[in-house]
């Protein structure tokens, strides 16, 4: 695969994605392309010697995602890449300098005025012993401001998770507006013929 960061994995804890490999720079930026502080969420951008020229025969997508690097400085070996790539990945810096992956920009939703990262909630749920896997979706009418978060959970074998227990566990990590309104417990996800989760069947 193509990769731009690495970390040594020890134990069962979901690891961060690490730090950039040689000749690569990673930037976590806000929508104004300004660096975010440690712990704040932003989009991951990649620069460096390994950056691709763009998408083959897709000039519009290339122009959208391979953009000018505002930090370019040919006199500074850390900023010699004129362009960088907007990954669409939502990340944050950890205090030790590693980068944690939180989700995708295309998985952002807005619930009652709050911007919510579904991947961050999914990651928090996966850390719980009774949860083998999880998928977050929204239900309701966003125009009427009654959209709700629903967590579809594949239970760990032999576990009997309870919605109120999961809510209490999540409240230790997430703000109230990110707590799912409903939990649906499954033995397995429904799949399409191509072995992807069948979201329409949920």
């Amino acid at each position: 695969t193509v990769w731009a960061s690495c970390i040594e994995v020890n134990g069962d804890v979901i690891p961060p994605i690490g730090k950039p490999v040689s000749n690569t720079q990673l930037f976590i930026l806000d929508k104004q392309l300004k660096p975010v502080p440690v712990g704040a969420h932003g989009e991951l951008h990649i620069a460096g010697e390994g950056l691709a020229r763009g998408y083959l025969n897709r000039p519009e997508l290339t122009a959208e995602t391979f953009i000018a690097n505002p930090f370019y400085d040919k006199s500074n070996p850390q900023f010699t890449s004129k362009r960088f790539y907007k990954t669409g990945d939502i990340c944050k810096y950890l205090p030790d300098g590693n980068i944690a992956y939180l989700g995708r920009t295309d998985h952002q939703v807005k619930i009652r005025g709050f911007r919510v990262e579904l991947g961050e909630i999914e990651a928090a749920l996966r850390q719980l012993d009774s949860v083998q896997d999880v998928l977050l979706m929204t239900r309701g009418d966003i125009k009427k401001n009654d959209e709700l978060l629903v967590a579809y959970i594949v239970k760990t074998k032999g576990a009997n998770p309870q919605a109120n227990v999961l809510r209490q566990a999540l409240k230790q990590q997430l703000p109230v507006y990110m707590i799912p309104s409903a939990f649906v417990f499954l033995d397995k996800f429904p799949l399409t013929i191509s072995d992807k989760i069948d979201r329409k069947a949920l």
Side-chain angles (χ1 to χ4, degrees):
T1 64
V2 177
W3 53 287
S5 65
C6 63
I7 190 171
E8 181 178 349
V9 178
N10 292 301
D12 298 326
V13 178
I14 298 174
I17 61 174
K19 299 177 181 179
V21 298
S22 297
N23 301 316
T24 299
Q25 297 87 46
L26 301 181
F27 303 88
I28 302 178
L29 309 174
D30 62 20
K31 290 185 177 180
Q32 287 71 47
L33 300 182
K34 303 293 184 183
V36 300
V38 172
H41 300 180
E43 183 177 356
L44 182 68
H45 296 67
I46 301 176
E49 297 301 319
L51 195 66
R53 295 178 182 175
Y55 289 100
L56 182 63
N57 299 325
R58 300 191 66 182
E60 291 182 1
L61 185 58
T62 295
E64 180 182 334
T65 55
F66 288 84
I67 63 175
N69 181 355
F71 309 107
Y72 169 68
D73 180 355
K74 63 181 180 181
S75 65
N76 187 332
Q78 294 295 316
F79 302 103
T80 56
S81 180
K82 292 183 178 181
R83 300 181 307 149
F84 54 30
Y85 173 65
K86 290 170 58 68
T87 65
D89 293 330
I90 301 297
C91 296
K92 68 178 179 180
Y93 290 113
L94 299 176
D96 63 1
N98 281 304
I99 293 172
Y101 172 80
L102 302 173
R104 295 280 305 163
T105 54
D106 48 12
H107 290 170
Q108 279 187 347
V109 297
K110 207 167 187 179
I111 302 292
R112 299 183 197 89
F114 293 101
R115 192 166 297 282
V116 175
E117 307 288 351
L118 298 184
E120 185 174 4
I121 306 170
E122 291 171 346
L125 280 165
R126 286 193 187 98
Q127 293 177 25
L128 304 179
D129 292 338
S130 60
V131 177
Q132 178 181 315
D133 204 355
V134 60
L135 178 70
L136 263 289
M137 293 181 66
T138 56
R139 295 294 189 202
D141 189 341
I142 192 170
K143 293 181 180 179
K144 295 181 180 179
N145 202 33
D146 65 355
E147 210 173 29
L148 303 175
L149 283 175
V150 179
Y152 294 89
I153 291 175
V154 175
K155 303 176 289 185
T156 302
K157 189 174 182 179
N160 185 28
Q162 302 293 319
N164 60 332
V165 174
L166 297 182
R167 277 197 189 91
Q168 289 304 315
L170 288 178
K171 286 179 180 178
Q172 305 302 314
Q173 304 182 56
L174 303 172
V176 172
Y177 65 84
M178 293 179 70
I179 308 300
S181 299
F183 294 84
V184 179
F185 299 106
L186 307 167
D187 292 321
K188 60 181 180 180
F189 286 132
L191 300 177
T192 65
I193 57 174
S194 58
D195 280 338
K196 294 183 179 181
I197 296 176
D198 187 348
R199 291 171 177 255
K200 292 182 179 179
L202 288 172

